Amino acid sequence: MYAEGTAVSSALARLFGSANGGEALPLSGIRERASKELSQFARIVRADLAPLGIAIPPAISFVSCKQCALTLENEHPQRDAILSWLEGNDRIAKYFKEVEILFEVVRATEHAGELFPEENCFHIGLTSAGPIAYFDSHRCD
């Protein structure tokens, strides 16, 4: 448990830098940072997949849950190639987790005191219109 908390603190420190005079970062700042990191994640994935001949569209949908590792959610025509690229790709998994943490902070702040179902997972969809991030249920297979 300690290592996970340390990893979260470390990720937030990397994303936000050190606090200025102990002032709290406004929610709008966290939202803006989450959006920027989501866009950067999309750019990195597109750049990595382009040499493999994988383009968007069709959309690519990633999901990560407490019960299962980062994986591809949708039935993409090049699913096997994307899963091969994703397998053991610690850089992408780490970046996905950093984006997830930011969106988790936003969600927790917007819905303070609300408990979320365990089956809620974090999703990132890469579409021709741009990336989207959301929480929704998912069943790990």
Side-chain angles (χ1 to χ4, degrees), residues 58-75:
I60 298 173
S61 182
F62 297 102
V63 62
S64 177
C65 301
K66 290 180 183 175
Q67 307 89 337
C68 55
L70 176 61
T71 191
L72 188 63
E73 180 178 36
N74 62 330
E75 290 300 322

Side-chain angles (χ1 to χ4, degrees), residues 47-95:
D48 279 8
L49 294 180
L52 302 175
I54 301 169
I56 300 168
I60 298 173
S61 182
F62 297 102
V63 62
S64 177
C65 301
K66 290 180 183 175
Q67 307 89 337
C68 55
L70 176 61
T71 191
L72 188 63
E73 180 178 36
N74 62 330
E75 290 300 322
H76 192 279
Q78 294 166 297
R79 180 179 177 81
D80 291 341
I82 296 169
L83 286 172
S84 291
W85 164 80
L86 190 57
E87 187 178 331
N89 194 330
D90 293 336
R91 180 177 71 109
I92 291 300
K94 183 178 177 183
Y95 210 98

Side-chain angles (χ1 to χ4, degrees), residues 22 35 41 46 79 97 110 114 122 129:
S35 179
F41 176 83
R46 284 175 183 258
R79 180 179 177 81
K97 186 54 82 177
E110 290 176 339
E114 189 175 326
F122 185 66

